[in-house]
Amino acid sequence: MDEKTMVSDTLAGINGELVRYGEMIPQTENKELKQTLKQIRNQCEMSQEEIYQIARSKQYYVPAAKATAEEVAHVKSILTQMG
């Protein structure tokens, strides 16, 4: 397994963890547990950012092109209609 694959797999794993924390936190009634989960999620987000920066610096990850103003306006109009 090469470094690029390991970095990509790590990012995918961390992103999956973040999704699970996002699901667990609002479903937890115990305040102490909720706070602990938030702390773990925050640490996970920091790790994700570090790995993401490594991936960018080594050009293992190239972000999508930025949305145009027209595309942003279109999405905003859709979301406004939904709300």
Side-chain angles (χ1 to χ4, degrees):
M1 183 180 290
D2 65 355
E3 184 179 68
K4 181 178 181 178
T5 302
M6 289 188 287
V7 169
S8 294
D9 286 354
T10 301
L11 270 176
I14 291 172
N15 288 338
E17 288 178 31
L18 288 170
V19 169
R20 284 187 287 287
Y21 288 123
E23 293 168 348
M24 286 187 283
I25 291 169
Q27 296 178 27
T28 304
E29 291 186 28
N30 181 299
K31 289 183 181 185
E32 290 177 21
L33 177 58
K34 187 177 284 225
Q35 187 59 37
T36 299
L37 289 171
K38 286 179 180 181
Q39 289 171 346
I40 294 169
R41 181 200 56 201
N42 290 343
Q43 292 169 346
C44 191
E45 287 176 346
M46 289 189 303
S47 295
Q48 192 272 355
E49 180 64 25
E50 288 177 34
I51 299 296
Y52 168 76
Q53 292 301 334
I54 291 168
R56 289 280 315 264
S57 71
K58 294 181 177 261
Q59 297 183 341
Y60 294 161
Y61 175 82
V62 178
K66 292 191 179 210
T68 65
E70 184 178 282
E71 291 167 326
V72 171
H74 176 70
V75 172
K76 281 183 180 179
S77 72
I78 291 171
L79 294 175
T80 302
Q81 291 171 7
M82 293 173 65

